Amino acid sequence: MKPLVLICSQDAEFYLFLSHILEADGFTSEPAGGVKEALALADERELQAVVLDCGPSSATGSTICARLKHEPRTGGLLVIALIAPGAENQHLDLLKAGIDESFVRPIAPAKLLDYLRAKLALAKPGSNGIENGSWLCCGSLEMKPDARRVRGNGHEIHLGPIEFNLLRYLLEAPGKVFSRDELIRAAWPENIHIGVRTVDVHISRIRKALKTASPGSFIRTIRSAGYMIEDPDG
């Protein structure tokens, strides 16, 4: 499945230009015109990154970034700002909002694409990274971290960024019990506060996905300790 990038812009021509560049490089994209629409799509869709088109007289970009970074479900999303010439004063507000990276336009498309691929640990098109890289395996469950792919019994499993990070951490050590605090440190950015019950919500989402595609895979709750993924061969 192609990585999905949300493009937040009120400029239709800019969206068409950027979406064409992304799709030619193996991504797919979706537009959002304002704060409300961007936050709704981020909650509904399994995004990998958000690109903010920051105009000279608009604070929409920093508002969207701050809201995304504050929410546990979207706090781990990669958020990039493209700042219009003459609007460099927005850089400080974006930093305060938790932006991952800012670029002043015009920017060479290759620079943006290389940054996205590096941060999302994606192989370049044509590199055959899926076959050449290593998979994390536990029974019928398989994960390819650098391509952000998860399979169960040969079926693709689609997870959000936080769920992906949690499952990866569990798969790196099948049979080991991880506390909720350890899982928080592994899956969420350091600059946001996460309650331990939030971990339970995300684990529940992973379990629901595994039940459908990989019914032989189990994440066990260890009372008063945390969670572990059960190794059927262990």
Side-chain angles (χ1 to χ4, degrees):
M1 187 177 184
K2 293 181 179 181
L4 176 60
V5 178
L6 183 68
I7 302 174
C8 302
S9 177
Q10 295 183 340
D11 184 338
E13 288 188 8
F14 177 76
Y15 166 73
L16 291 172
F17 168 74
L18 187 56
S19 64
H20 175 74
I21 289 170
L22 288 169
E23 288 172 19
D25 204 61
F27 293 87
T28 186
S29 63
E30 193 153 331
V35 176
K36 187 175 180 180
E37 185 180 8
L39 296 175
L41 286 169
D43 189 55
E44 295 167 4
R45 305 296 301 276
E46 300 300 342
L47 304 175
Q48 297 299 326
V50 177
V51 176
L52 305 171
D53 176 21
C54 299
S57 59
S58 173
T60 300
S62 57
T63 301
I64 293 173
C65 181
R67 294 281 295 275
L68 290 174
K69 292 296 185 180
H70 180 73
E71 293 295 327
R73 171 171 162 75
T74 56
L77 270 176
L78 178 65
V79 184
I80 303 166
L82 301 182
I83 302 174
E88 288 86 347
N89 60 320
Q90 293 186 18
H91 186 65
L92 183 58
D93 289 336
L94 288 163
L95 283 175
K96 290 178 179 177
I99 199 75
D100 293 288
E101 185 60 271
S102 299
F103 298 102
V104 177
R105 294 166 56 190
I107 175 178
K111 186 174 182 180
L112 175 61
L113 294 170
D114 285 347
Y115 180 81
L116 279 167
R117 291 199 166 277
K119 289 297 181 180
L120 297 176
L122 298 174
K124 291 186 177 181
S127 67
N128 207 23
I130 299 298
E131 282 72 23
N132 293 335
S134 59
W135 292 78
L136 295 172
C137 300
C138 182
S140 64
L141 188 62
E142 303 171 302
M143 173 183 283
K144 178 69 171 60
D146 62 2
R148 302 191 74 82
R149 286 186 65 187
V150 183
R151 299 188 309 205
N153 291 316
H155 301 288
E156 294 288 333
I157 300 174
H158 305 299
L159 300 172
I162 295 297
E163 285 86 22
F164 184 91
N165 291 340
L166 285 169
L167 183 58
R168 175 179 180 172
Y169 199 57
L170 292 169
L171 280 173
E172 286 175 347
K176 180 178 178 180
V177 179
F178 293 98
S179 70
R180 289 175 175 83
D181 286 336
E182 287 177 305
L183 294 173
I184 289 171
R185 288 194 294 270
W188 277 272
E190 295 180 1
N191 59 344
I192 62 172
H193 174 73
I194 300 297
V196 293
R197 292 305 167 197
T198 302
V199 178
D200 300 341
V201 173
H202 286 275
I203 291 291
S204 177
R205 289 175 180 163
I206 298 172
R207 281 174 166 158
K208 184 177 180 180
L210 296 185
K211 184 178 181 180
T212 301
S214 185
S217 304
F218 297 101
I219 296 177
R220 289 185 57 194
T221 302
I222 310 301
R223 188 173 181 180
S224 302
Y227 294 100
M228 64 169 279
I229 192 161
E230 204 160 38
D231 185 354
D233 301 320

